[in-house]
């Protein structure tokens, strides 16, 4: 608990230290109020309800009860309100840190991770982790209340109070065993929660394929199996939690039974009054409530510890390396690729590649699937570290250039279209200030103005999740407009028309030509008819550069490019 509080929770609750202080202080106040309320039970029964009690005595007792109630109202409100405030703020802070960390992780991390697990970490684990603070406050407040109630019981009758000390070891044993079992199982609960979240995310994002292949039953069975595993994991934890509570109550009932028998003989012997007995019983009954809440807090703390382990595993992951110091703002001369070899882990995808691209050139990368074309685009963007060979921009190795500056040089139009579930203009300008004139220019360049003007709210129309309310061609034209607004020196076209029908492809191709202008273009092309006018075409096969030249030169060689071109013409 100390490690969880000091090293993990403290950084998130420290900004609210004043509220933490008052929350803890009000714990003492609430415990004291409870003790004072119990202290009024004996005079209430011995004098207040006695036939010979005076009106003054009754009024004084009633006033004391009312006064404690009035004091309890603000104390309880501010204690629990501030407790919730700190917990929710801590949740927001740790969730922000987790999401910010995920944004800084390398692309390779996401290839081996499940989206649902990461969503579960960001939403569920953060809330459970921050809930550890509430559990810690409960572990402070409830023992204070228990000590006060024991003190009141001891004051009422010290001999009967010894019963509490007899049952204490049993309660500690129950808490220890249940807390350990919950902690051990909590990792499984969160793992299965992540799997369930992933299945839901996967099922919703694949709705077109699900309907097209009549896979509703298959997708639902995957969801149901994940849900059953999550249910089983939850029930293992619930079994331990719910078994602990009645055990505590059973031990309490045994104690009560013994107390009643023992108290009967003491009252008969005149050693104890009815008021003293009821005062003792009230203290003992109230003592069981903080014990129960202590048990629950112990379980929640175990859950928070397990959640913190998963979150700090993410925090400890190595971030995307950005060791560059160069502030390159513009592309001046050339991109030179020398002896470049790259692997994702199993076999080289690019092998000893040597290419030079001069400013203003339009070059294409062609080849069969798996030849390394898109991988080269990823390396130019700095998405993966270069281990063998080099890529230089104007004589600077790209690992020596700050990632932000490197990526500003390139404008990407990819086959993997992504639009935010937001308005058209927000998707185009993103985090830059909006400008109506530039917006008009971008839409004109991308041949998008005509269809955007017909949208229900024009540029203020919400495009849907990943642009679902638009056609494929419309989506791609918006990404072209977005690339135009970036004003990048080098344009990367990564099979930008591969998923489009012929008519849409023609419009998008015209938009790409408009966008290109006199800029440097590096295009990954699958339809070779679109690159016949390019300055250089690099033909790749199994990661190697096997040919280079312009369209006419390569066709005259009658080698790999000619085969690819003839194949594309037939298709």
């Amino acid at each position: 608990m100390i490690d969880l509080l000091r090293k993990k929770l403290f950084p998130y609750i420290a900004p609210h230290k004043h509220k933490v202080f008052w929350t803890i202080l009000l714990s003492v106040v609430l415990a004291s109020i409870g003790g004072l309320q119990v202290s009024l039970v004996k005079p209430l029964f011995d004098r207040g309800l006695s036939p010979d009690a005076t009106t003054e005595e009754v009024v004084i007792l009633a006033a004391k009860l009312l006064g404690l109630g009035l004091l309890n109202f603000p104390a309880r409100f501010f204690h629990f309100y501030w407790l919730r405030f700190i917990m929710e703020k801590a949740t927001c802070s740790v969730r922000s840190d987790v999401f910010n960390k995920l944004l800084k992780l390398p692309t390779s991390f996401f290839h081996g991770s499940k989206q649902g697990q990461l969503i579960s970490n960001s939403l569920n684990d953060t809330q459970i982790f921050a809930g550890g603070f509430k559990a810690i406050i409960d572990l402070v407040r409830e023992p204070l209340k228990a000590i006060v109630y024991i003190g009141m019981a001891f004051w009422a009758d010290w001999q009967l109070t010894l019963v509490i000390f007899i049952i204490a070891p049993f309660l500690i044993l129950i808490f220890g065993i249940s807390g350990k079992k919950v902690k051990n199982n909590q990792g499984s609960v969160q793992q299965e929660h992540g799997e369930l979240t992933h299945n839901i995310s996967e099922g919703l994002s694949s709705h077109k394929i699900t309907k097209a292949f009549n896979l509703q039953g298959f997708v639902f069975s995957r969801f149901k199996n994940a849900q059953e595993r999550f249910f089983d994991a939850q029930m293992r934890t619930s079994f331990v939690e719910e078994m602990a509570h009645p055990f505590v109550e059973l031990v309490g009932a045994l104690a009560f039974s013994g107390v009643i028998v023992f108290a009967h003989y003491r009252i008969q012997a005149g050693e104890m009054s009815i008021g003293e007995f009821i005062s003792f019983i009230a203290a003992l009954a109230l003592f069981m409530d903080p014990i129960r809440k202590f048990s629950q807090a112990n379980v929640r703390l175990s859950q928070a510890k397990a959640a913190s382990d998963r979150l700090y595993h993410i925090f400890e992951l190595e971030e995307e390396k950005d060791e560059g110091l160069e502030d390159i703002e513009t592309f001046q001369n050339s991109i030179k690729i020398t002896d470049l070899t790259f692997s994702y882990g199993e076999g080289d995808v690019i092998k000893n590649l040597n290419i030079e691209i001069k400013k203003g050139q339009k070059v294409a990368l062609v080849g069969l699937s798996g030849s390394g074309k898109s991988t080269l685009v990823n390396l130019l963007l700095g998405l993966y570290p270069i281990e063998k060979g080099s890529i230089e921009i104007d004589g600077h190795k790209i690992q020596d250039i700050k990632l932000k500056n490197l990526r500003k040089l390139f404008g990407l139009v990819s086959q993997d279209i992504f639009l935010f579930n937001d308005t058209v203009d927000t998707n185009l300008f993103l985090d830059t200030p909006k400008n109506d004139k530039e917006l008009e220019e971008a839409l004109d360049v991308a041949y998008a103005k005509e269809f955007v003007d017909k949208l229900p709210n024009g540029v203020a129309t919400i495009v849907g999740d990943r642009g679902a309310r638009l056609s494929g061609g419309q989506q791609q034209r918006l990404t072209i407009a977005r690339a135009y607004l970036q004003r990048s020196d080098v344009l990367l076209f990564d099979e930008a028309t591969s998923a489009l029908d012929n008519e849409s492809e023609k419009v998008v191709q015209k938009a790409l030509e408009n966008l290109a202008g006199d800029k440097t273009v590096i295009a990954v092309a699958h339809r070779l008819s679109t690159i016949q006018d390019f300055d250089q075409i690099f033909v790749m096969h199994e990661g190697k550069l096997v040919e280079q030249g312009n369209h006419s030169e390569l066709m005259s060689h009658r080698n790999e490019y000619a085969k690819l071109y003839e194949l594309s013409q037939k298709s």
Side-chain angles (χ1 to χ4, degrees):
M1 184 181 84
I2 299 299
D3 180 67
L4 175 65
L5 177 62
R6 183 169 59 87
K7 293 183 179 180
K8 297 178 179 179
L9 272 173
F10 182 75
Y12 295 102
I13 63 176
H16 317 290
K17 57 187 177 185
H18 296 300
K19 286 186 174 66
V20 172
F21 169 78
W22 283 106
T23 300
I24 294 172
L25 184 61
L26 288 173
S27 295
V28 178
V29 173
L30 289 173
S32 302
I33 290 172
L36 291 171
Q37 288 172 330
V38 172
S39 71
L40 293 176
V41 173
K42 180 179 181 297
L44 179 64
F45 279 90
D46 283 349
R47 290 296 303 162
L49 299 179
S50 173
D52 56 349
T54 65
T55 302
E56 184 182 356
E57 288 176 323
V58 173
V59 169
I60 290 173
L61 279 171
K64 286 180 179 179
L65 282 170
L66 179 60
L68 289 173
L70 291 173
L71 182 60
N72 182 73
F73 180 88
R76 192 184 189 287
F77 170 77
F78 284 109
H79 172 77
F80 285 100
Y81 176 77
W82 284 338
L83 187 58
R84 290 283 295 274
F85 178 90
I86 295 164
M87 190 178 77
E88 295 301 333
K89 271 290 187 182
T91 301
C92 291
S93 296
V94 70
R95 187 176 292 142
S96 296
D97 284 352
V98 169
F99 190 66
N100 191 41
K101 177 71 177 185
L102 291 174
L103 293 177
K104 293 179 179 179
L105 293 176
T107 303
S108 56
F109 166 79
F110 295 96
H111 289 171
S113 303
K114 289 185 177 180
Q115 188 182 68
Q117 286 287 357
L118 299 179
I119 293 173
S120 181
N121 291 142
S122 302
L123 293 178
N124 204 41
D125 280 346
T126 51
Q127 196 162 21
I128 293 172
F129 168 68
F133 170 70
K134 184 178 185 300
I136 288 171
I137 294 296
D138 287 351
L139 292 178
V140 172
R141 183 186 63 245
E142 300 308 324
L144 281 175
K145 289 167 69 175
I147 290 169
V148 169
Y149 295 143
I150 288 175
M152 298 308 300
F154 198 84
W155 174 70
D157 192 298
W158 68 269
Q159 291 175 316
L160 287 178
T161 307
L162 293 177
V163 173
I164 295 174
F165 295 102
I166 294 172
I167 66 172
F170 295 101
L171 297 177
I172 293 170
L173 181 65
I174 293 169
F175 298 150
I177 293 174
S178 62
K180 187 175 181 180
K181 285 185 177 293
V182 167
K183 180 184 175 183
N184 291 341
N185 191 55
Q186 193 60 27
S188 175
V189 171
Q190 291 309 112
Q191 174 72 20
E192 296 304 337
H193 183 275
E195 289 290 334
L196 179 59
T197 306
H198 179 72
N199 268 271
I200 293 171
S201 174
E202 199 173 53
L204 294 176
S205 61
S206 65
H207 65 94
K208 286 185 181 178
I209 296 298
T210 299
K211 293 181 187 301
F213 287 88
N214 292 318
L215 295 174
Q216 289 90 339
F218 172 74
V219 172
F220 182 73
S221 68
R222 283 168 58 84
F223 161 78
K224 195 171 182 181
N225 289 336
Q227 183 171 246
E228 283 298 320
R229 292 193 299 272
F230 177 53
F231 172 78
D232 290 341
Q234 273 190 313
M235 291 313 298
R236 287 195 295 272
T237 298
S238 298
F239 178 84
V240 175
E241 290 177 357
E242 300 309 324
M243 183 64 77
H245 299 328
F247 259 124
V248 169
E249 291 171 3
L250 176 61
V251 172
L254 290 172
F256 267 114
S257 301
V259 164
I260 290 170
V261 174
F262 189 29
H264 169 73
Y265 287 108
R266 289 178 59 73
I267 292 171
Q268 291 291 320
E271 297 174 357
M272 189 181 200
S273 70
I274 295 294
E276 287 172 332
F277 173 70
I278 294 176
S279 178
F280 173 82
I281 289 296
L284 186 60
L286 289 171
F287 170 77
M288 296 307 296
D289 184 59
I291 290 298
R292 177 179 59 82
K293 288 180 179 177
F294 184 90
S295 172
Q296 292 172 340
N298 189 50
V299 169
R300 286 200 305 273
L301 195 62
S302 296
Q303 293 172 335
K305 178 66 171 65
S308 75
D309 290 341
R310 289 187 296 277
L311 292 177
Y312 273 77
H313 170 70
I314 292 176
F315 288 143
E316 289 164 4
L317 291 172
E318 187 177 358
E319 295 181 2
E320 182 178 53
K321 290 182 179 179
D322 187 6
E323 299 171 345
L325 300 175
E326 302 284 348
D327 288 316
I328 294 180
E329 299 293 338
T330 57
F331 173 52
Q332 298 290 340
N333 298 308
S334 67
I335 298 171
K336 191 173 183 181
I337 300 168
T338 307
D339 299 331
L340 180 66
T341 298
F342 179 79
S343 170
Y344 288 110
E346 296 182 5
D348 293 336
V349 181
I350 294 177
K351 303 171 184 176
N352 198 36
L353 184 65
N354 290 276
I355 287 176
E356 184 171 3
I357 303 166
K358 294 179 180 178
K359 183 179 180 179
Q361 278 192 326
K362 290 175 175 55
V363 305
L365 304 172
V366 304
L368 296 173
S369 179
S371 59
K373 307 182 300 296
S374 294
T375 296
L376 182 56
V377 170
N378 291 336
L379 293 175
L380 286 169
L381 289 169
L383 297 179
Y384 295 92
I386 295 172
E387 296 177 356
K388 293 181 181 179
S390 66
I391 299 178
E392 295 180 3
I393 298 177
D394 295 339
H396 303 277
K397 291 184 177 180
I398 63 170
Q399 54 264 44
D400 295 333
I401 304 171
K402 291 180 180 178
L403 280 178
K404 190 171 184 179
N405 291 79
L406 173 67
R407 290 166 184 169
K408 272 187 176 180
L409 295 175
F410 297 100
L412 177 66
V413 180
S414 172
Q415 61 183 323
D416 182 19
I417 301 170
F418 186 88
L419 295 171
F420 292 96
N421 190 7
D422 211 316
T423 61
V424 170
D425 55 353
T426 298
N427 269 289
L428 299 189
F429 285 100
L430 301 174
D431 61 344
T432 58
K434 295 178 182 179
N435 181 296
D436 290 340
K437 184 180 178 183
E438 291 182 353
L439 178 61
E440 289 291 321
E441 288 177 8
L443 293 176
D444 283 336
V445 166
Y447 290 93
K449 192 174 187 311
E450 183 181 354
F451 84 80
V452 169
D453 286 344
K454 292 178 181 177
L455 294 174
N457 297 305
V459 295
T461 302
I462 302 290
V463 301
D465 193 23
R466 295 182 69 94
R469 296 179 183 176
L470 305 175
S471 69
Q474 291 171 338
Q475 292 172 15
Q476 194 62 290
R477 276 180 274 170
L478 288 186
T479 66
I480 292 169
R482 181 165 63 193
Y484 173 81
L485 289 170
Q486 284 183 286
R487 312 291 185 185
S488 302
D489 292 338
V490 183
L491 296 172
L492 298 176
F493 298 157
D494 187 5
E495 300 199 69
T497 63
S498 63
L500 304 179
D501 58 73
N502 289 334
E503 190 165 338
S504 296
E505 183 190 16
K506 289 176 183 177
V507 178
V508 170
Q509 190 59 43
K510 287 170 67 178
L512 289 172
E513 290 169 4
N514 262 4
L515 174 63
D518 59 355
K519 292 179 181 291
T520 304
V521 174
I522 302 172
V524 174
H526 72 292
R527 294 185 181 173
L528 305 189
S529 58
T530 62
I531 60 168
Q532 291 183 27
D533 296 330
F534 274 41
D535 301 305
Q536 283 284 303
I537 299 170
F538 298 102
V539 185
M540 299 181 68
H541 181 72
E542 295 182 351
K544 295 179 181 179
L545 178 64
V546 293
E547 277 189 289
Q548 72 179 80
N550 60 38
H551 175 75
S552 299
E553 291 170 346
L554 292 173
M555 287 299 292
S556 66
H557 294 161
R558 307 303 299 170
N559 287 324
E560 186 72 19
Y561 178 79
K563 294 176 185 176
L564 290 171
Y565 185 80
E566 290 169 4
L567 187 64
S568 70
Q569 292 299 103
K570 290 177 183 178
S571 61

